[in-house]
Amino acid sequence: VDPAGAPPVRGATLPTTADTWTPTGTGRAVWLGPDEWLVTSTDTAPHRLEAELREVLAPAGGVAVDVSAQRTVLRITGSRAREVLAKGCSIDLHPRVFGRGRSAQTTLAHAAVVLLVLGDDGEDFALFVRSSFAGHLATWLLDAALEYTTPTQQGEQT
């Protein structure tokens, strides 16, 4: 699909700038490559979203494929979220460089992820990770966040 000629997807224009995402009603359209996007929805079943996208994109020469079983979404929020992610990710996560609306295909704790910045303050991130790596990544995130918790939060008696 030529992004310049692509029809609106779920009421939004597909992002055409590398490493960005745009809101699409109850989901997001994430730029993955010059002619590849990841479109999500929180209120539409995957098979219905695929059919809807196929109908919208077919006239422009595009296709839609349901990959919902491939990825799990983890969300990390809080004032130390950026510091936790920086422990296992080599990209610059500072809000001046990596602010709301930005995305990156990178690795975190040796797992391939699509990382989205959801908030304006650098405290809210979504991580799209292959389902087979989700447990590993969730455990790694919990471990990486331990130094920012209090002893009571760590389960120790005071």
Side-chain angles (χ1 to χ4, degrees):
V1 172
D2 173 15
V9 171
R10 308 208 97 199
T13 303
L14 291 171
T16 57
T17 303
D19 302 324
T20 61
W21 65 269
T22 58
T24 60
T26 61
R28 298 176 186 94
V30 183
W31 184 96
L32 296 179
D35 59 357
E36 182 179 2
W37 296 269
L38 176 65
V39 179
T40 68
S41 174
T42 59
D43 69 349
T44 305
H47 68 281
R48 293 191 193 283
L49 180 60
E50 178 185 23
E52 176 188 329
L53 292 172
R54 185 171 284 146
E55 186 176 318
V56 169
L57 297 173
V63 297
V65 178
D66 175 10
V67 295
S68 59
Q70 178 199 30
R71 299 189 190 220
T72 297
V73 181
L74 301 175
R75 191 155 174 194
I76 179 169
T77 64
S79 61
R80 300 291 189 148
R82 199 167 19 103
E83 286 90 344
V84 170
L85 293 173
K87 289 181 174 190
C89 183
S90 63
I91 63 173
D92 186 352
L93 298 171
H94 194 279
R96 282 191 312 258
V97 177
F98 198 64
R100 178 174 167 71
R102 294 295 312 267
S103 65
Q105 296 178 75
T106 186
T107 57
L108 177 64
H110 305 291
V113 299
V114 177
L115 177 63
L116 277 61
V117 184
L118 303 179
D120 294 324
D121 52 10
E123 296 183 3
D124 192 0
F125 299 87
L127 301 161
F128 291 78
V129 61
R130 291 182 65 95
S131 298
S132 58
F133 283 93
H136 159 74
L137 189 56
T139 300
W140 182 91
L141 286 166
L142 290 170
D143 184 62
L146 269 178
E147 76 175 89
Y148 304 114
T149 62
T150 64
T152 303
Q153 290 171 318
Q154 293 176 12
E156 298 177 14
Q157 295 181 348
T158 54

